[in-house]
Amino acid sequence: MTNQDYGKLVNERSRPSPMGKNMVWAFLVGGVICTVGQGLVNLYQNYGLDKEKAGTAASVTLIFVAALLTGLGGFDQIAKRAGAGTLVPITGFANAMVSPALEFKSEGLITGTAAKLFTVAGPVLVFGMSASVIYGIILCLIKAF
């Protein structure tokens, strides 16, 4: 079978993608994620955070929820319907960090999940997030005393 014959066979057997429906779902789900993010910013501002800190807190919350949903298998169910609508906002970043690491959880927590997290996302990302948490804790302790 030639490449042209194979291409013709694939085109005959594959279903056309409902592009309009997929775009609407991506737009709606991406919009809902961004609306939830804005709602979180407003909520954190109502609790006394300034705009910048409220934005940071909302980002951390969205990343945490997306990582948790990825670990529980819920993010994949949303992504099947929404497609790129889940990848564009910050939640796609969290999913990209967590999902490959979960594939190796049978290898163990340290040699499987944690090691894969470092190789997939890159040491710079993992170190940056870990360092920011440690620096935040140190800053809170300094301010407390």
Side-chain angles (χ1 to χ4, degrees):
M1 179 178 280
T2 66
N3 286 341
Q4 292 172 339
D5 292 336
Y6 179 73
K8 186 177 177 182
L9 180 65
V10 168
N11 288 334
E12 290 173 0
R13 303 247 173 129
S14 62
R15 293 185 307 165
S17 176
M19 191 180 308
K21 179 181 164 187
N22 291 345
M23 288 189 301
V24 169
W25 271 109
F27 176 78
L28 291 175
V29 172
V32 166
I33 292 170
C34 293
T35 302
V36 168
Q38 184 62 50
L40 287 170
V41 169
N42 295 344
L43 178 71
Y44 290 133
Q45 283 181 319
N46 287 339
Y47 282 120
L49 295 178
D50 63 37
K51 187 174 183 177
E52 184 178 332
K53 290 181 183 176
T56 301
S59 296
V60 169
T61 303
L62 287 173
I63 289 171
F64 173 76
V65 169
L68 182 65
L69 283 174
T70 299
L72 298 174
F75 195 90
D76 290 339
Q77 296 301 319
I78 297 168
K80 281 181 187 176
R81 172 73 49 119
T86 57
L87 299 177
V88 175
I90 198 166
T91 54
F93 168 74
N95 179 272
M97 291 278 295
V98 174
S99 58
L102 289 176
E103 292 177 21
F104 290 86
K105 66 182 175 184
S106 63
E107 307 268 335
L109 183 62
I110 302 299
T111 58
T113 303
K116 192 63 176 175
L117 187 65
F118 275 97
T119 59
V120 171
V124 174
L125 290 174
V126 176
F127 175 77
M129 289 185 293
S130 302
S132 66
V133 169
I134 292 169
Y135 297 150
I137 291 171
I138 292 170
L139 182 63
C140 287
L141 291 174
I142 290 172
K143 285 186 177 185
F145 296 108

